[in-house]
Amino acid sequence: MSARSQAIVVVGASLAGVRAAEELRGEGFDGSITVVGDEVHAPYDRPPLSKQVLAGHWDIDRLPLTAGVDGGIDALDLEWRLGTLATGLDLDARQVILADAERLGFDGLVIATGATPRRLPGSEGLSGVHTLRTLDDCLAVRAEVDAGARRLVVVGAGFIGAEVAATCRTRGLDVTILEALPVPLGQALGEEMGSVLADLHRDHGVDVRLGTAVAGLDGGGDGRVERVRLADGAAIEADLVVVGIGVVPNTGWLEGSGLTLDDGVVCDATTLAAPGVVGAGDVARWPSRRFGELLRVEHWDNAIAMGAHAARRLLAWLDAEQANGGRASREPEPYDPVPWFWSDQYDRKIQLAGRSAGADEVRVVDGSTGERRFVALYRRGDRLVGALAMNRPRQLLAFQRLIDRGASWAEAIGSADPSARS
Ligand SMILES: Cc1cc2nc3c(=O)[nH]c(=O)nc-3n(C[C@H](O)[C@H](O)[C@H](O)COP(=O)(O)OP(=O)(O)OC[C@H]3O[C@@H](n4cnc5c(N)ncnc54)[C@H](O)[C@@H]3O)c2cc1C
């Protein structure tokens, strides 16, 4: 068990960081835990931002993260450094450097700094143009809708853009989705499934324009966005633009630290990024033995599971250190989950388990895409690697278990509806 004198610093005061801190305490770590986060808000949950909060159904007092212990997060005895940006990491000195040049020493470090939305070049300084990642982003978009915005253009048909489109369409706005690819999420989900998502929006009256690149945004004399110019010369009038063109992991503060940075902080299979340093959540990349690739997963469920795993990994490292390089009392285990994700759009719950990108085959095995109630399976070689479901949560879970077991394609097809076996 840990010595009281040990100090752990967690950078990133959100889902992965808080879950890591909770696990550290749950495993009996009684040293100091300092949580550094650049947002001023107490840690909160992001998925409702594009759903219930934007819809106006939830107040923000439902968002704060809680802990599964009596007394909640307060009972974890954490030292909070909110509104504080980490700007550097000195691995030799074992210190995190803060924006005001203060240095926080640590024995163990959890990197959980998440990701930041890509911006549309040329949109700087125009009001009415937003990304959606933080509570402040969400409140800014919601305020525009509450104030009477009528014409929303969503740039990018990924999950965040699609949820914003669905929520705002349900609130009665005229919505256009612009997507540069020929099919939304085509590379991730495959063409057929991407088309199903596009059609879902069209059925609800959204103008979905595919293969459409944005050339620029025009503002009026008041500096407010008025139209989106397209590469083909057309223009779409807009009084609100939400840009959802993906995120970049927040690793800028780690430049020059000696850690391997490559689309995230690269960890080993156990989440260790360097001796006494672990990574978790949207910022972290690790080699998945199950899928044979480096993964970086931007899912709520992964932030929780990886945060907890990384905390246990860090304690194993600290235990080994305390024993002067002796045998670790806890053997480090690889982190190798089946990633799982959900998205709510209109009255549909979309869920994805496992891996869908780069599949050799996609087959609908339950329900039908026409009814918008189905499960589609993804095959790589002779293995089941992924499952996508729309309004089929129970069935999705069954296939998720098969992926977890490493089931063959034949077994997965055999367990599905007989009509899907051909
Ligand atoms: C609008 C929205 C809807 C979503 N909906 C879903 C959904 O339906 N299903 C699903 O599975 N997932 C969803 N997600 C994804 C999910 O919320 C993320 O995967 C999860 O928040 C990742 O947690 P994290 O702790 O790794 O990173 P984050 O939540 O991004 O937290 C990282 C924190 O670190 C802070 N930080 C960054 N750099 C520094 C620094 N240098 N110093 C100090 N602090 C720093 C950031 O400001 C942030 O507060 C959604 C995300 C968003 C934004």
Side-chain angles (χ1 to χ4, degrees), residues 11-94:
V11 184
S14 184
L15 193 57
V18 170
R19 287 296 163 252
E22 188 176 357
E23 187 75 6
L24 289 169
R25 289 294 186 227
E27 289 286 308
F29 178 78
D30 58 4
S32 71
I33 303 177
T34 304
V35 185
V36 178
D38 62 348
E39 292 184 70
V40 292
H41 306 287
Y44 57 89
D45 215 14
R46 295 185 200 277
L49 300 180
S50 48
K51 308 175 184 73
Q52 296 90 341
V53 179
L54 182 57
H57 297 155
W58 279 22
D59 281 332
I60 60 171
D61 57 9
R62 293 180 71 165
L63 293 180
L65 293 179
T66 53
V69 289
D70 284 347
I73 283 187
D74 290 345
L76 298 177
D77 189 20
L78 309 177
E79 188 183 322
W80 295 99
R81 302 293 292 266
L82 298 177
T84 302
L85 182 71
T87 53
L89 170 63
D90 183 338
L91 269 185
D92 292 336
R94 303 196 78 66

Side-chain angles (χ1 to χ4, degrees), residues 11-18 36-39 44-51 81 84-88 98 112-116 132-134 138 159-160 163-164 250-253 280-284 297-304 340-344:
V11 184
S14 184
L15 193 57
V18 170
V36 178
D38 62 348
E39 292 184 70
Y44 57 89
D45 215 14
R46 295 185 200 277
L49 300 180
S50 48
K51 308 175 184 73
R81 302 293 292 266
T84 302
L85 182 71
T87 53
L98 305 181
T113 42
T116 297
L132 182 42
R133 179 80 191 180
T134 66
C138 171
F159 282 109
I160 299 290
E163 287 193 351
V164 170
N250 289 321
T251 55
W253 67 286
D282 284 17
V283 75
V297 172
E298 297 165 7
H299 301 170
W300 184 88
D301 185 58
N302 183 64
I304 293 175
W340 171 81
F341 171 86
W342 86 97
S343 174
D344 297 323

